Amino acid sequence: MKIAFALLIIFFLAFSGYHLTFRNIRLPLFARQFYLTGSEFLFLGLLLGPLFLNLLDLETQKYLDPLRALLLGWIGLLFGSQFEVSKLRRFPRVYFSSAVLEGILVLIIVSLAAYFMILPFSHTSSTIGVVMALTLGATAACTSHGGLALVGKDSGSQFGKLFTLLRYLSGIDGILPLLVFGFSSSLLTASFSSFSLISVLTKGFLMILGSSLGLVIILVLFLSERRRENELALIVFGATLLASGMAFMVKMSPLLINFIIGTSIVNLSREKERIYEVLIAMEKPAYLLILVFLGAIWRFDSAWIFVLAAVYCLVRLLAKLFAGFLITVSSTDMTQYPYHLGLGLLHQGGLPLAMLLEFQQGFPPPMSSWIVSLVLIAVLYNDILGPLFVRRLLKKNRA
Amino acid sequence: MANSLLVLVVMTMLGLWFSSIRIESVWQQTGLTTFSLGFTLLLAYASAQVVSVVRLPLISGCIFAGIIAGPFITGFLGQGMVERLRLVDDLALSFIALGAGGHLHLQDLRSRGRAIALNIGLLTVVVFGAVFGFIVLTAQNFLFLRVLTWTQIIAFASLIAVIAVARSPSSAIAIISECRATGLFTETVLGVTVAMDVIIIILFSLVMTCIKTMLPANGTGDFLTLIAIFLETMTSLGVGLVLGKGISLYIRKVGHDLPLFLLFFAFGIAKGSLWLDHFMETQFGVSLHLEPLLVCMSAGFVVQNLSGEGLSFMNSLERISLPIYVLFFSLAGASLDLVALKMTWPFAASLVLVRSTAIFGATWTAGALNRDPPRINRIAWMAYVTQAGVAIGLAQLAERHFPDIGVYLTTVVLAVIAINQVVGPITFKMVLNMVGESRYPKTSA
């Protein structure tokens, strides 16, 4: 009964919430930013979790794991569906290489910093430490459109190319971090006592390839004829569940497998626009549900977590600035952009949260608790301050 | 068709691959449940596409897929997994009941009131009488019934006979939705099926009370129970009326995300009524059992007939009904007890035959008395064969009350349902096509 009740509550929150939140209501500056990003749902999750109401206790969360798997798959598919080659080609090629470069640089810098500066506090083995560091790096590298949407919703055109570039970078820069995170999660669930890195990665790669291929074939066959809207929803819903389930069963990342499937389908199927419509219809509720689930596992065991979060945010800011600077000097086409481009890439958004949820699912508390708490604080900070930096950057470089 | 067959082949390969994986961790267990859900959805949908080529209803495809994937054939969906996915049932049943209420049009019901009343009365009396008579007369010919005393045989026959009267509103609604059937015949069948769902509960309680008097070792009969059931039924209908008004208010004032709201509503009613039951029992010592199906039916009926929002209500239900039907009926297929069927198939097959003949007799007589066209009277029985959840629930309830005969009862009921649930949807779709009320060109004859 408690499970059903919890399910009802969180569904109610998500589906009523997404109509109420993300709206420009007159509130003090920081409160408005907080409200517009839906961050209040993290606190609702915290309230429903074991620390307060205990409605979403660990047992209930375990029962709701298939829902979490579905959410992860949904986000993965949605992210993958952005990689439509014909659409990406409309932009200069240097944009793509810049996005990849930016993502990988931030991933490396933050992962290294995490491994040497933050992880010594966690008292974990070196292998687990590597996975944790990569998770922190991957979550730091991702950027969301959210910050730009908040600033330039009605006036994006007045900021010209810079706005377009920032939009592009924040849509694409998560690709390599996601791949790295996806493979690292296979290390996470492997038997640490007797594994060889190469064999685990090779096996993981083959598993991902095999299962993704099977699912892509199924989807392409299903979508080879025009389906009604409810049939399409059933197919997408079923395929996401199937892919996420497969990923969990072979100890792989559901985000990664669904990302591969999303990318394949968007480039292979004639129904891509309609599929995207199905996916996007659930985007906001899915995001809010992820926030609720993460809020429920949020812990404040030590005040040190705030210090660590501050260090993480600082390292991320520096990494973004460095990566942005490197982009602008790496190509003559990019010199027209401001060197402090990284300031516009701080908003973290949904993908890192999904990564965090997946990390927590494969690596249950208490070991994952502090990473989750640290990143959540950082996400809150970046989601609130990110749009301010974006606004500042755009105003200084108005077209 | 070819594509759906290819999908089935690829899915079978994936299923075989993944069923060979050893489940060692909670992480993998989550994966297995999620995988099974997705696998069932897609497999059942692909099967439904394949069987639609031979004009079988969608739900038959789902049921076949469920039977094949279920614990008795391939075992891909084991008993434990079927139980775990049972959460879907509550949601689906309430959701289907909303649709059942929405499909009832007051105007048509008024015009078909006499036909509906005649069908209900005759189906109840004739089916009950025929099945009861058959069991009592032939009991000595079936090995497992020989061990029972005469009193037990009469009790057994009464319970099986009353359960035989039950139909499956969920199957009826699913097929009517699939065929987009409308018309006097559809309206009559729906009216009878929905009303039977209420009557069967009262009838069953009445029979239980009589049997308790016959078999005093199992407790004594109490006619207060009947009054309580009547009150609960009225309360459920009343609550449904209020909630139906709430739904129409939501549609009028808010309007967005209606499909999701209805899904949320259905799930809320299913779980809320259980919670209320438990709360009243523990806090006040009062047994107040709201029947979620009745609440939802009543709510759907109110939105359709007592507000101006019927069309958007039904359209929204239609938009999300497919995944729910597919999952619900494939799980129903996986739950069909083939072992019970194997054990008692001669008896079960005879019962199905007797029940179908009795249904034919009842519907033919009702049609003749109502002066319906003879062509329709001859085939009307085909719409009343389906049987599912309610019958199983009643059998399990009887088993708890009468353990001496309950084991036999449940086995026989499960076997009979296994046949009726496979045959019933097919005959129902056929009859809708034959009377010309099926509107879906893809499947019409």
Side-chain angles (χ1 to χ4, degrees):
Chain A
M1 182 56 75
K2 188 175 179 182
I3 293 156
F5 191 57
L7 198 61
L8 271 173
I9 289 280
I10 58 170
F11 264 113
F12 177 75
L13 285 175
F15 287 104
S16 63
Y18 92 91
H19 283 287
L20 301 173
T21 197
F22 307 117
R23 282 186 183 179
N24 220 343
I25 295 175
R26 280 176 177 272
L27 287 170
L29 181 63
F30 288 106
R32 189 168 72 229
Q33 219 76 291
F34 179 78
Y35 181 70
L36 280 169
T37 54
S39 307
E40 68 274 20
F41 280 81
L42 264 180
F43 290 92
L44 276 173
L46 184 66
L47 187 71
L48 294 174
L51 279 188
F52 295 98
L53 296 176
N54 200 28
L55 190 65
L56 275 176
D57 59 14
L58 289 178
E59 191 63 19
T60 309
Q61 287 180 40
K62 203 180 87 184
Y63 274 100
L64 297 179
D65 273 349
L67 173 64
R68 295 204 279 188
L70 174 69
L71 294 173
L72 292 174
W74 206 268
I75 297 291
L77 264 185
L78 202 58
F79 185 60
S81 64
Q82 293 180 41
F83 289 83
E84 189 183 343
V85 175
S86 61
K87 280 189 182 164
L88 292 178
R89 277 191 185 152
R90 288 180 203 161
F91 298 92
R93 275 192 188 173
V94 69
Y95 276 23
F96 188 79
S97 52
S98 301
V100 172
L101 180 68
E102 186 262 313
I104 202 72
L105 273 175
V106 179
L107 171 77
I108 292 169
I109 294 169
V110 177
S111 297
L112 284 175
Y115 192 76
F116 292 110
M117 290 165 63
I118 298 177
L119 289 175
F121 295 93
S122 69
H123 311 294
T124 52
S125 74
S126 61
T127 316
I128 298 175
V130 169
V131 179
M132 285 179 164
L134 285 173
T135 303
L136 286 170
T139 53
C142 297
T143 318
S144 139
H145 288 140
L148 288 163
L150 292 177
V151 173
K153 195 176 178 184
D154 305 313
S155 52
S157 57
Q158 67 174 297
F159 300 117
K161 280 185 175 177
L162 177 58
F163 190 83
T164 312
L165 175 68
L166 288 174
R167 265 189 73 85
Y168 188 93
L169 292 178
S170 49
I172 306 293
D173 67 356
I175 181 170
L176 274 179
L178 176 65
L179 290 174
V180 171
F181 170 78
F183 279 107
S184 75
S185 62
S186 64
L187 297 178
L188 185 75
T189 48
S191 164
F192 288 106
S193 55
S194 61
F195 84 96
S196 108
L197 186 68
I198 302 290
S199 73
V200 167
L201 284 178
T202 312
K203 195 179 158 198
F205 178 73
L206 290 176
M207 286 280 199
I208 287 176
L209 205 67
S211 42
S212 305
L213 188 69
L215 265 162
V216 168
I217 292 172
I218 289 173
L219 277 171
V220 168
L221 286 171
F222 265 133
L223 299 172
S224 58
E225 56 188 274
R226 191 173 172 82
R227 305 277 172 186
R228 285 185 290 161
E229 189 195 348
N230 57 356
E231 290 176 298
L232 202 62
L234 180 144
I235 292 166
V236 174
F237 186 66
T240 313
L241 281 170
L242 195 66
S244 299
M246 281 160 76
F248 277 124
M249 283 176 78
V250 296
K251 302 174 182 177
M252 289 287 148
S253 161
L255 269 174
L256 181 59
I257 287 192
N258 278 287
F259 165 75
I260 294 170
I261 293 166
T263 309
S264 311
I265 289 302
V266 85
N267 287 296
L268 292 175
S269 171
R270 281 174 299 179
E271 297 277 25
K272 58 196 171 202
E273 298 295 341
R274 293 179 69 214
I275 294 174
Y276 189 71
E277 275 172 29
V278 171
L279 290 172
I280 206 76
M282 289 284 290
E283 186 203 17
K284 283 176 182 170
Y287 174 61
L288 296 184
L289 281 173
I290 287 178
L291 286 173
V292 171
F293 276 123
L294 285 172
I297 52 175
W298 208 358
R299 297 284 177 281
F300 301 98
D301 298 333
S302 155
W304 275 102
I305 206 76
F306 291 97
V307 180
L308 291 176
V311 173
Y312 172 76
C313 286
L314 187 68
V315 174
R316 180 172 184 266
L317 173 70
L318 293 174
K320 286 276 182 188
L321 280 172
F322 175 66
F325 169 74
L326 219 61
I327 287 170
T328 54
V329 297
S330 63
S331 160
T332 48
D333 295 335
M334 302 298 283
T335 48
Q336 58 182 306
Y337 297 107
Y339 66 88
H340 53 294
L341 188 70
L343 279 182
L345 299 169
L346 290 181
H347 200 274
Q348 273 183 289
L351 187 61
L353 294 176
M355 286 178 181
L356 211 54
L357 190 68
E358 184 180 314
F359 174 77
Q360 187 272 338
Q361 204 150 359
F363 205 173
M367 290 186 89
S368 61
S369 298
W370 72 271
I371 293 249
V372 171
S373 306
L374 185 155
V375 178
L376 284 182
I377 295 168
V379 167
L380 270 180
Y381 163 80
N382 285 315
D383 283 1
I384 293 169
L385 291 183
L388 300 179
F389 283 116
V390 175
R391 193 172 287 126
R392 194 178 161 82
L393 178 73
L394 288 173
K395 276 185 180 168
K396 273 194 166 180
N397 298 277
R398 196 181 289 265
Chain B
M1 163 73 175
N3 283 349
S4 298
L5 276 174
L6 275 173
V7 167
L8 285 179
V9 171
V10 178
M11 288 204 63
T12 309
M13 285 161 65
L14 272 179
L16 287 173
W17 176 23
F18 279 83
S19 58
S20 67
I21 291 172
R22 267 182 48 205
I23 304 297
E24 293 161 335
S25 62
V26 182
W27 166 284
Q28 284 181 302
Q29 187 58 52
T30 299
L32 182 62
T33 310
T34 315
F35 178 79
S36 304
L37 261 173
F39 188 81
T40 310
L41 258 180
L42 294 182
L43 184 79
Y45 177 66
S47 309
Q49 298 291 304
V50 172
V51 300
S52 73
V53 175
V54 283
R55 292 179 182 163
L56 290 186
L58 179 139
I59 70 168
S60 295
C62 302
I63 291 169
F64 291 143
I67 292 173
I68 292 166
F72 303 107
I73 297 194
T74 58
F76 178 74
L77 283 177
Q79 199 68 52
M81 185 55 68
V82 173
E83 288 306 316
R84 257 201 297 280
L85 301 179
R86 277 265 164 251
L87 191 71
V88 176
D89 273 10
D90 297 331
L91 167 71
L93 278 171
S94 298
F95 187 82
I96 290 167
L98 265 180
H103 274 97
L104 293 173
H105 296 92
L106 198 56
Q107 209 176 356
D108 295 336
L109 287 179
R110 278 195 191 125
S111 67
R112 294 295 291 168
R114 185 180 141 85
I116 291 172
L118 277 171
N119 272 294
I120 290 172
L122 284 166
L123 276 170
T124 309
V125 173
V126 177
V127 173
F128 184 90
V131 173
F132 179 82
F134 170 77
I135 296 173
V136 171
L137 292 175
T138 61
Q140 292 309 312
N141 298 320
F142 296 101
L143 200 62
F144 73 98
L145 287 178
R146 281 187 206 153
V147 295
L148 301 179
T149 64
W150 264 110
T151 322
Q152 283 177 325
I153 287 174
I154 288 173
F156 177 82
S158 311
L159 288 167
I160 292 275
V162 77
I163 291 170
V165 176
R167 346 223 67 87
S168 168
S170 51
S171 306
I173 299 295
I175 293 165
I176 288 171
S177 296
E178 184 193 345
C179 298
R180 296 178 189 171
T182 49
L184 290 180
F185 179 77
T186 308
E187 209 60 52
T188 309
V189 173
L190 201 59
V192 172
T193 308
V194 170
M196 279 295 214
D197 218 35
V198 182
I199 291 167
I200 192 71
I201 295 167
I202 298 170
L203 204 64
F204 185 76
S205 309
L206 193 69
V207 170
M208 291 268 282
T209 307
C210 296
I211 294 173
K212 278 182 179 169
T213 319
M214 283 164 54
L215 303 171
N218 298 290
T220 53
D222 179 9
F223 279 91
L224 277 177
T225 312
L226 282 180
I227 298 168
I229 287 171
F230 177 76
L231 287 175
E232 281 171 358
T233 306
M234 288 299 123
T235 313
S236 302
L237 292 174
V239 170
L241 192 142
V242 175
L243 292 175
K245 280 286 173 195
I247 293 176
S248 41
L249 192 72
Y250 176 87
I251 299 173
R252 208 166 42 249
K253 298 281 183 196
V254 185
H256 55 65
D257 292 320
L258 189 54
L260 288 169
F261 173 78
L262 293 175
L263 207 61
F264 179 75
F265 177 88
F267 192 60
I269 294 298
K271 292 299 168 191
S273 57
L274 277 177
W275 175 82
L276 186 70
D277 191 15
H278 177 75
F279 178 78
M280 295 299 279
E281 189 81 50
T282 51
Q283 297 295 316
F284 304 106
V286 178
S287 172
L288 175 71
H289 176 67
L290 283 185
E291 182 53 59
L293 294 187
L294 286 183
V295 174
C296 289
M297 264 184 219
S298 166
F301 182 81
V302 168
V303 181
Q304 179 64 268
N305 295 288
L306 305 178
S307 81
E309 327 299 336
L311 189 65
S312 43
F313 172 70
M314 292 308 286
N315 284 342
S316 300
L317 283 179
E318 169 75 20
R319 278 181 65 195
I320 43 166
S321 57
L322 186 70
I324 292 174
Y325 286 151
V326 169
L327 206 52
F328 176 72
F329 286 105
S330 44
L331 286 177
S335 313
L336 290 183
D337 197 334
L338 301 189
V339 174
L341 181 61
K342 194 178 166 190
M343 280 162 59
T344 61
W345 73 266
F347 185 67
S350 313
L351 269 182
V352 169
L353 207 63
V354 170
R355 179 176 178 269
S356 301
T357 312
I359 290 173
F360 172 77
T363 51
W364 187 87
T365 314
L369 289 172
N370 199 46
R371 291 179 189 160
D372 287 338
R375 186 180 66 87
I376 291 186
N377 294 343
R378 280 196 294 274
I379 54 176
W381 67 275
M382 295 164 79
Y384 298 100
V385 179
T386 55
Q387 257 195 317
V390 176
I392 299 173
L394 295 179
Q396 285 168 344
L397 195 65
E399 185 180 347
R400 277 203 295 278
H401 282 272
F402 311 111
D404 307 342
I405 56 171
V407 185
Y408 306 108
L409 185 92
T410 313
T411 312
V412 170
V413 168
L414 290 175
V416 171
I417 286 173
I419 301 172
N420 284 334
Q421 190 61 347
V422 172
V423 177
I426 299 171
T427 59
F428 193 12
K429 188 174 179 184
M430 280 168 69
V431 74
L432 285 177
N433 286 329
M434 287 158 87
V435 299
E437 293 190 0
S438 174
R439 302 282 162 90
Y440 190 34
K442 193 175 168 184
T443 52
S444 60

